[in-house]
Amino acid sequence: MSEKVIIAPSILSSDFANLESEIKRLQNAQADWIHIDVMDGHFVPNLTIGAPVVKAIRKITNLPLDVHLMIENPEKYIKDFALAGSDYITFHYEAAKNNVLDIIKQIKSFDKKVGISIKPNTPAEAIKPFVNDVDMVLIMTVEPGFGGQKFMKECAEKAVELKSYLKKDIIIEVDGGINNETAKFCKNIGINALVAGNYVFSSDDMKEAIASLR
Ligand code: DX5
Ligand code: ZN
């Protein structure tokens, strides 16, 4: 696993009225990716961003767009998010019925990187059959739906078991409650991508906050 950790700030905590300047601010602060939280009000109890917004963001940045789909029936929307210019498309294992492999295939058919995500109550073992077919596993370290919640350490620990299933290096990303302390714990157990919303956007010095996560 490479030493370099990817920092993917979540724009869920940004000022939506000034999205362009918020994204420029992330770029200047040396963010690696832009994490975009898509919520449908069904899979999670909140509504956020759709494909048209991803398309608008694509026009103003070259940073990889890490699109996290917290939606039911992800297969219906993958095309929209792919054509909008996503780089990574991550769907939830819990939202896939018996069609996990079809969803993976669909994302790959658009030449996009595939991520599969698990909620706090889903064991690592559930996605064992799929981890060697994806580019990234996203482990939720809070219940998905809202920013600013407390990090659940035992969720991050699933990374250790997941790694034992892997035949190749993939990205293992965590999302929820990441700050400079919880980031340290995650990096120590081999997690190599960190999503952070509140910590990055509530800091006085965004560049310093991002650097402190590395
Ligand atoms: C939660 C989202 C996260 C969230 C992280 O459902 O998937 O990306 O914005 O926010 P913080 O870092 O504030 O916990
Ligand atoms: Zn997310």
Side-chain angles (χ1 to χ4, degrees):
M1 202 72 62
S2 84
E3 293 278 301
K4 191 176 173 329
V5 57
I6 294 160
I7 309 298
S10 164
I11 57 164
L12 188 59
S13 301
S14 72
D15 175 1
F16 285 167
N18 294 292
L19 207 44
E20 181 167 12
S21 61
E22 291 287 67
I23 286 172
K24 295 276 139 73
R25 213 150 71 87
L26 287 174
Q27 269 173 208
N28 292 334
Q30 261 133 45
D32 298 301
W33 292 357
I34 306 286
H35 184 83
I36 304 177
D37 286 309
V38 175
M39 305 188 189
D40 67 351
H42 292 278
F43 183 73
V44 288
N46 196 6
L47 269 170
T48 55
I49 295 167
V53 177
V54 175
K55 192 173 174 189
I57 295 172
R58 177 74 295 161
K59 288 187 187 145
I60 58 160
T61 184
N62 291 322
L63 286 182
L65 302 182
D66 176 28
V67 174
H68 178 191
L69 299 180
M70 286 163 275
I71 62 175
E72 280 177 7
N73 305 310
E75 67 285 351
K76 289 189 185 166
Y77 302 95
I78 284 161
K79 184 177 181 189
D80 290 350
F81 285 97
L83 298 182
S86 310
D87 294 285
Y88 281 78
I89 299 180
T90 296
F91 67 98
H92 266 269
Y93 166 75
E94 301 85 357
K97 315 256 153 43
N98 287 319
N99 57 352
V100 175
L101 287 174
D102 286 341
I103 295 173
I104 292 172
K105 232 196 262 167
Q106 200 192 345
I107 297 172
K108 286 183 178 170
S109 76
F110 292 101
D111 234 349
K112 303 297 180 183
K113 302 279 191 198
V114 188
I116 187 167
S117 183
I118 50 173
K119 296 206 284 184
N121 289 328
T122 303
E125 208 187 348
I127 56 169
K128 185 176 177 182
F130 312 112
V131 289
N132 287 294
D133 293 316
V134 298
D135 301 290
M136 175 163 84
V137 171
L138 168 51
I139 303 171
M140 290 309 299
T141 42
V142 297
E143 277 303 333
F146 301 92
Q149 304 181 76
K150 193 173 175 288
F151 176 75
M152 292 189 257
K153 191 175 170 194
E154 62 286 3
C155 295
E157 281 165 349
K158 293 176 197 173
V160 178
E161 189 178 336
L162 279 168
K163 286 175 85 176
S164 75
Y165 305 150
L166 292 174
K167 298 189 187 116
K168 56 171 185 178
D169 275 358
I170 65 167
I171 297 171
I172 301 186
E173 183 178 56
V174 283
D175 184 358
I178 298 299
N179 57 36
N180 57 334
E181 289 302 317
T182 57
K184 221 178 283 165
F185 175 79
C186 293
K187 287 179 291 179
N188 277 338
I189 57 170
I191 287 162
N192 52 1
L194 306 170
V195 175
N198 220 46
Y199 180 71
V200 167
F201 282 95
S202 69
S203 68
D204 296 329
D205 185 338
M206 190 180 264
K207 195 170 187 173
E208 200 178 277
I210 289 178
S212 76
L213 295 172
R214 290 196 192 283

